[in-house]
């Protein structure tokens, strides 16, 4: 039977932390980040004490059963499916690429090493092209976060999308509000390993591979220009960005980087925004309250 203890990580720990957090301050495990640290140990002990269980800080079968984290069908200590709820209310089933045997998902190279990092671990499946029209926020549809080049070349379904895309959509909805509710035209969203760029260079590192990046090519009637770049950066970041080839700054919306004119080849043909290279267990922390359990 499965048990969770100090040092464990993953979606099972996320569900444990979510259940504990529902119980209030006495059992608060801290951030729901999928990492079983000392704060989670203390929260488990507090819960065990409240139920008259051995307070060892280890979430074994009895503790998991008391928390409702048992399969109702088998009575075994198995975890409920982890899901992702978009701001629009649409729910997606998450798949852990580190353990999934799905042959199609494995073609997207989950967790595999690339230059200075690893590709995302958590995905959801799109079964057919019409599903790309699913609204993920009030003003954005899923298709707007998929690479234009891949769409033009023709997608093969099922097509797997990193979970982080929904967090990106949430941030862009908030950015749209800060820009006076003007429409945003997006380009160059998620690029899978099937993108021509990564067919040529499979290990190339780019935030577009993580579902955390997009390029904005129009705000309202304002097209690609220095004015567009400056306006987007002003709304996306809380202050000035640090000049570099990959400028960065603090952002209450969750963005970390933009793109320099030099990196664009000297022509400001878009405003790039990304939330960094989020992979592994950090993906769950990044998603925050967008995660739900069935």
């Amino acid at each position: 039977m499965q048990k969770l203890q100090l040092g464990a990580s993953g979606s099972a720990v996320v569900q444990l932390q979510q259940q504990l957090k529902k119980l209030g301050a006495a059992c608060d495990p801290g951030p729901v980040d999928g990492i079983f640290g000392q704060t989670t140990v203390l929260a488990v002990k507090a819960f065990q004490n409240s139920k008259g269980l051995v307070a060892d800080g280890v979430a074994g079968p009895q503790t998991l059963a008391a928390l409702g984290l048992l399969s109702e069908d088998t009575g075994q200590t198995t975890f409920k499916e982890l899901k992702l709820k978009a701001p629009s209310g649409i729910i997606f089933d998450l798949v852990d690429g580190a353990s999934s045997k799905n042959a199609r998902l494995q073609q997207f190279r989950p967790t595999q090493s690339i230059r200075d990092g690893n590709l995302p671990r958590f995905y959801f499946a799109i079964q057919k092209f019409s599903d790309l029209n699913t609204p993920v926020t009030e003003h954005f549809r899923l298709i707007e976060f998929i690479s234009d080049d891949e769409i033009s070349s023709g997608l093969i379904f099922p097509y797997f999308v990193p979970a982080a895309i929904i967090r990106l959509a949430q941030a862009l909805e908030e950015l749209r509000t800060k820009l006076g509710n003007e429409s945003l035209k997006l380009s160059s969203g998620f690029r899978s390993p099937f993108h021509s760029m990564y067919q040529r260079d499979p290990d190339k590192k780019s935030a577009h591979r993580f579902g955390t990046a997009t390029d904005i090519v129009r705000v309202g009637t304002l097209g690609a220009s220095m004015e567009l770049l400056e306006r987007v950066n002003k709304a996306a970041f809380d202050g000035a960005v640090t000049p570099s080839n990959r400028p960065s700054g603090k952002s209450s919306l969750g963005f970390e980087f933009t793109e320099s004119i030099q990196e664009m080849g000297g022509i400001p043909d878009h405003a790039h925004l990304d939330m960094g290279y989020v992979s592994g267990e950090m993906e769950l922390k990044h998603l925050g309250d967008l995660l739900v359990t069935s």
Side-chain angles (χ1 to χ4, degrees):
M1 286 188 173
Q2 187 171 2
K3 67 178 180 181
L4 300 172
Q5 57 191 346
L6 184 65
S9 62
S11 57
V13 178
V14 167
Q15 292 174 64
L16 170 67
Q17 292 171 327
Q18 287 176 327
Q19 291 297 95
L20 289 167
K21 200 169 261 300
K22 292 176 184 176
L23 301 175
C27 297
D28 190 347
V32 177
D33 57 7
I35 300 171
F36 201 123
Q38 289 292 347
T39 306
T40 301
V41 169
L42 293 175
V44 170
K45 285 183 177 180
F47 174 75
Q48 290 169 327
N49 278 321
S50 74
K51 296 296 181 181
L53 301 172
V54 176
D56 57 4
V58 176
Q62 286 186 304
T63 300
L64 294 170
L67 283 164
L69 291 172
L70 285 176
S71 168
E72 295 178 2
D73 296 331
T74 66
Q76 298 298 307
T77 312
T78 54
F79 288 87
K80 301 175 182 178
E81 294 299 319
L82 197 61
K83 299 178 183 290
L84 184 64
K85 186 175 183 179
S88 63
I90 300 294
I91 294 179
F92 299 96
D93 294 322
L94 285 192
V95 184
D96 185 345
S99 58
S100 173
K101 305 300 183 183
N102 185 300
R104 174 60 174 162
L105 172 58
Q106 293 307 316
Q107 293 178 345
F108 286 75
R109 299 179 59 196
T111 76
Q112 289 187 25
S113 176
I114 59 172
R115 202 167 296 136
D116 301 320
N118 295 86
L119 290 175
R121 173 175 172 176
F122 296 95
Y123 293 77
F124 59 90
I126 302 301
Q127 300 295 342
K128 56 186 183 298
F129 191 86
S130 60
D131 291 344
L132 290 172
N133 285 316
T134 299
V136 289
T137 70
E138 183 179 355
H139 297 100
F140 294 108
R141 294 172 299 145
L142 186 55
I143 195 170
E144 297 175 80
F145 298 92
I146 308 298
S147 162
D148 305 337
D149 292 337
E150 285 193 63
I151 292 172
S152 297
S153 298
L155 301 178
I156 297 176
F157 296 93
Y159 184 88
F160 283 87
V161 179
I165 274 185
I166 304 301
R167 175 70 185 92
L168 176 64
Q170 182 185 51
L172 285 169
E173 186 70 38
E174 294 171 1
L175 176 68
R176 190 183 190 277
T177 299
K178 293 187 71 172
L179 287 167
N181 286 311
E182 292 199 71
S183 62
L184 304 183
K185 181 173 176 54
L186 310 181
S187 176
S188 301
F190 168 60
R191 300 172 188 161
S192 80
F194 302 105
H195 191 283
S196 59
M197 183 183 300
Y198 308 125
Q199 291 289 301
R200 294 191 301 269
D201 185 359
D203 293 330
K204 181 178 176 64
K205 191 172 186 181
S206 164
H208 287 284
R209 305 193 74 170
F210 293 77
T212 58
T214 191
D215 295 337
I216 299 172
V217 296
R218 182 174 295 277
V219 175
T221 59
L222 179 62
S225 59
M226 274 301 300
E227 183 181 355
L228 172 76
L229 181 61
E230 291 169 354
R231 187 176 173 193
V232 168
N233 283 350
K234 183 177 180 180
F237 296 95
D238 300 338
V241 295
T242 302
S244 71
N245 191 47
R246 197 161 183 255
S248 61
K250 293 182 179 180
S251 170
S252 57
L253 301 183
F255 296 111
E256 291 189 13
F257 299 97
T258 178
E259 202 168 58
S260 67
I261 298 298
Q262 291 74 22
E263 198 172 3
M264 293 184 214
I267 302 173
D269 56 3
H270 64 270
H272 172 91
L273 289 174
D274 74 67
M275 307 179 92
Y277 305 122
V278 180
S279 64
E281 305 306 340
M282 290 304 297
E283 293 174 55
L284 299 175
K285 183 176 181 180
H286 181 69
L287 294 171
D289 60 7
L290 293 172
L291 290 172
V292 294
T293 51
S294 56

